[in-house]
Amino acid sequence: MKYFKHKTSIIDKNCTIGKNSKIWHWTHVSKNSKIGSNCTIGQNVFIGENVKIGNNVKIQNNVSVYQGVTIEDDVFCGPSVVFTNVKYPLAIKKIDKKNYEKTLIKKGATLGANSTILCGVTVGENSVIGAGTVVTRNVKKGKIVIGNPGYELKKNKK
C-alpha cells in the first residue's frame, strides 16, 4: 500500500489515493474520489463522490468535502471547515447530483477553522480565508477575506 489508512476509515470502490497520503480515524472517502500524493486527511472527515483533491493538501478534523468541490494542490483546510453544494436546500425537495454547484479551491489557498465556503464560488490561488469567515462570492488570487459575509481585508495606507 502506497498510503496509510487507519483501520477505522472507509474507502469506497474506485478511489485513487496518492503516495504518502494519510487517511485518519473515522474518515469516509466516497466512490470515484481522487486524493493526491502527500495529503493528510484528518479524523472524522467525509470526502463525497467524485471529489478531486490535489497534492500536498491538509484537511484537518471534522471537514465534509461534498460532491462538486475540487481542491487543488497545496491547500490547507482548517478544522471544521464547511463546504456546501446546493444553494437553496430543502428537506422536501430532492436535488439531482448532476445539479450540484461547483466549488473550486485554487492552489495554495488557506481556509481557516470553521470557515464556510458556499457552493458556486472560487477561492483564488494563495488566498487566505480567516477563521469563521462565510465566503459567499469569489475570492481573488492572493487576497485575505474575513467576516460574515466575507469581505476583503484592505491594507492600511501609511
Side-chain angles (χ1 to χ4, degrees):
M1 188 177 297
K2 298 178 185 175
Y3 62 89
F4 170 79
K5 170 194 173 293
H6 189 270
K7 65 182 180 180
T8 60
S9 63
I10 299 168
I11 298 176
D12 289 349
K13 293 180 182 179
N14 299 320
C15 292
T16 303
I17 300 173
K19 186 177 179 181
N20 297 322
S21 287
K22 297 176 182 80
I23 312 295
W24 288 103
H25 308 72
W26 307 293
T27 289
H28 183 180
V29 180
S30 298
K31 66 182 180 180
N32 303 318
S33 292
K34 182 176 181 182
I35 298 172
S37 297
N38 302 309
C39 293
T40 300
I41 310 299
Q43 70 181 32
N44 196 38
V45 171
F46 173 76
I47 307 292
E49 293 179 24
N50 304 303
V51 166
K52 291 178 181 62
I53 296 172
N55 299 313
N56 306 308
V57 171
K58 186 165 192 172
I59 299 177
Q60 296 283 14
N61 300 346
N62 306 310
V63 176
S64 292
V65 184
Y66 296 113
Q67 185 171 343
V69 176
T70 298
I71 299 174
E72 292 185 347
D73 296 344
D74 308 317
V75 169
F76 177 85
C77 290
S80 302
V81 166
V82 174
F83 292 98
T84 66
N85 59 8
V86 177
K87 263 204 172 104
Y88 305 106
L90 298 170
I92 59 172
K93 181 180 177 190
K94 183 164 174 55
I95 305 294
D96 191 320
K97 290 180 182 182
K98 68 182 179 200
N99 293 326
Y100 287 163
E101 301 235 8
K102 305 295 184 213
T103 300
L104 176 60
I105 310 302
K106 301 283 273 181
K107 182 178 180 170
T110 294
L111 309 178
N114 292 303
S115 58
T116 298
I117 313 301
L118 296 185
C119 58
V121 303
T122 297
V123 174
E125 189 173 326
N126 297 317
S127 57
V128 176
I129 307 303
T133 297
V134 178
V135 177
T136 60
R137 56 181 174 233
N138 292 342
V139 175
K140 293 179 183 173
K141 177 181 179 177
K143 299 300 179 182
I144 299 172
V145 174
I146 60 172
N148 181 5
Y151 61 91
E152 187 179 317
L153 187 63
K154 304 290 184 186
K155 292 183 180 177
N156 290 333
K157 294 183 182 179
K158 292 184 179 183

